[in-house]
Amino acid sequence: MQIFEELQARGLLAQLTDEKEIRELVNNGKAVFYIGFDPTADSLHVGHFMALCLMKRLQMAGNKPIALVGGGTGMIGDPSGRTDMRTMMTKETIQHNCDCFKKQMERFIDFSEGKALMVNNADWLLDLNYVDFLREVGPHFSVNNMLRAECYKQRMEKGLSFLEFNYMLMQSYDFFELFQRYGCNMQFGGDDQWSNMLGGTELIRRKLGKDAYAMTITLLLNSEGKKMGKTQKGAVWLDPAKTSPYEFFQYWRNVADADVSKCMKMLTFLPLEEIEEMDKWDDSRINEKKEILAYELTALVHGEEEATKAKETARSLFAGGGNLENMPTAELSDSDVPEDGILINDLLVAAGLAASKSEARRLVTQGGVSVEDEKIPGIEFKVEKAALKEGIVVKKGKKVFKRVLIK
């Protein structure tokens, strides 16, 4: 099976502008393609996973990826999927985030010897002359068509700023610049980016002629992929300082039963034949399948050693006891804990197991909190300071563990 057919079989491709040409380029290793990443944080999260895995697959087939970080577009912010305007960042923050992205991408993409590029659209966007840009790009875009785009529709009721309205033109201009500077002939993006991507393809063809070779592909369920990165506490990050390898492992270990096979096909590098064999397993082996998914993805991001530690920790915890060395830990200072002990609500918040005291109260009253395998009877319960100096294991729900101690 060639790479294009494999991408189809894994459910990764949704819409294409030129299927025959794209198939030929990709299967022959002649695609120079880009995917954009706006640096809105100092770490990538699992919502970026699908794009990173796709870049790795295509590079392994001989194609050349360009990771485009939005140092320029990040100054505005993509309105797609948003109900409000993004917080504007400083140039220094954006550059720091871009630097962090590069380190994490290197686990997926080989940047050596010109096999891949990482470029920043700040290089051409920040020095644009506004009038020149309007004259060069503006005539090729219909405002009527732009307002019909899904990325703008959902913002019209609450208000779409003119700042954000420019985003489509800037993203389209990115493809135009990448085409001219690096021979980039293909762009990938989520299904929520389709309108922006078509704008880039049309801009190239209108300015450079119909023979200009520029194509677009969207990733099926990439919007859903972004949702994968959200939990009650926020995003599941690829940075181990933000989401530990154990927490990362547990996130994938806890995906819905119906999503396991889909995640395996779209995100892991296990052969399709192997995944299809697992699909034949009966329901009693669903947890085994989830463990394989969690291990494969944790190894991809954090390495096999950390993935093995996470798997062993999870197994031992659910069997009782547990390897405390590899367990996520919350360290409190001595001043955080009164001499007569700390109320369970306060402890849950201090340990990062609840976002607020009201959430902590709800967890306790619903019987969802245990300390050292003993269910907490009520919100008046206190944990002794001496116990915290030794370290205790707090369990939230059925699957979230954390060791809490005074450091």
Side-chain angles (χ1 to χ4, degrees), residues 98-392:
C98 291
D99 294 340
C100 293
F101 279 17
K102 175 75 178 292
K103 293 178 183 177
Q104 293 172 2
M105 287 178 181
E106 287 174 343
R107 292 204 67 95
F108 295 83
I109 304 166
D110 181 3
F111 288 98
S112 67
E113 301 173 357
K115 295 176 183 176
L117 295 173
M118 185 172 185
V119 298
N120 191 328
N121 63 17
D123 293 345
W124 54 82
L125 290 179
L126 295 189
D127 292 330
L128 279 175
N129 179 285
Y130 186 61
V131 173
D132 290 344
F133 178 74
L134 287 180
R135 288 174 60 87
E136 184 176 3
V137 177
H140 302 289
F141 286 83
S142 162
V143 171
N144 290 353
N145 289 340
M146 291 175 68
L147 291 175
R148 285 194 288 268
E150 288 299 322
C151 60
Y152 292 141
K153 274 185 181 179
Q154 59 188 336
R155 292 294 306 280
M156 294 303 291
E157 289 186 9
K158 289 194 173 182
L160 175 71
S161 71
F162 185 71
L163 180 74
E164 295 169 292
F165 189 65
N166 279 268
Y167 192 90
M168 182 184 291
L169 275 68
M170 295 177 72
Q171 182 171 330
S172 299
Y173 190 73
D174 282 344
F175 195 18
F176 177 77
E177 284 288 329
L178 291 170
F179 180 86
Q180 295 198 108
R181 291 178 181 225
Y182 307 108
C184 181
N185 53 25
M186 196 175 298
Q187 58 179 332
F188 285 76
D191 53 1
D192 58 333
Q193 295 291 314
W194 185 240
S195 298
N196 294 344
M197 294 167 66
L198 285 178
T201 298
E202 288 303 310
L203 179 62
I204 290 172
R205 293 179 178 177
R206 289 180 182 181
K207 286 188 67 63
L208 303 179
K210 293 183 179 179
D211 293 335
Y213 227 34
M215 304 166 194
T216 57
I217 298 180
T218 64
L219 307 188
L220 181 62
L221 298 174
N222 200 351
S223 293
E224 183 173 322
K226 290 179 180 178
K227 294 175 186 175
M228 289 179 186
K230 301 297 181 181
T231 67
Q232 288 184 347
K233 294 191 295 180
V236 176
W237 305 101
L238 304 193
D239 182 349
K242 291 177 174 287
T243 299
S244 72
Y246 171 78
E247 291 170 316
F248 190 85
F249 180 95
Q250 283 299 101
Y251 173 80
W252 295 108
R253 174 63 180 76
N254 296 332
V255 298
D257 293 359
D259 292 336
V260 179
S261 181
K262 179 174 64 179
C263 289
M264 279 193 165
K265 289 178 180 177
M266 301 177 100
L267 303 177
T268 78
F269 287 80
L270 293 172
L272 281 169
E273 296 80 7
E274 187 176 334
I275 297 171
E276 288 165 0
E277 281 300 311
M278 284 189 277
D279 286 343
K280 299 175 184 177
W281 293 356
D282 60 46
D283 293 344
S284 65
R285 300 183 69 182
I286 187 64
N287 287 331
E288 182 181 350
K289 197 172 177 182
K290 288 183 177 182
E291 187 177 81
I292 293 171
L293 171 68
Y295 178 86
E296 291 294 325
L297 298 186
T298 306
L300 186 61
V301 175
H302 299 294
E304 292 187 1
E305 182 179 351
E306 291 297 335
T308 299
K309 287 180 182 178
K311 181 172 69 173
E312 291 174 351
T313 299
R315 283 182 173 179
S316 59
L317 282 170
F318 287 110
N323 185 343
L324 299 183
E325 181 181 349
N326 298 320
M327 187 185 299
T329 300
E331 297 181 349
L332 309 181
S333 66
D334 188 78
S335 60
D336 290 332
V337 183
E339 292 301 321
D340 62 343
I342 184 171
L343 286 168
I344 187 63
N345 287 358
D346 295 330
L347 180 65
L348 290 172
V349 174
L353 288 166
S356 63
K357 288 186 179 181
S358 60
E359 181 187 342
R361 187 180 304 110
R362 176 180 57 79
L363 289 169
V364 173
T365 55
Q366 291 178 353
V369 178
S370 300
V371 172
E372 296 292 295
D373 288 329
E374 294 291 331
K375 186 171 289 187
I376 300 304
I379 58 174
E380 69 285 349
F381 182 85
K382 280 188 176 183
V383 177
E384 295 180 357
K385 191 165 190 174
L388 285 167
K389 288 183 176 180
E390 294 293 325
I392 62 170

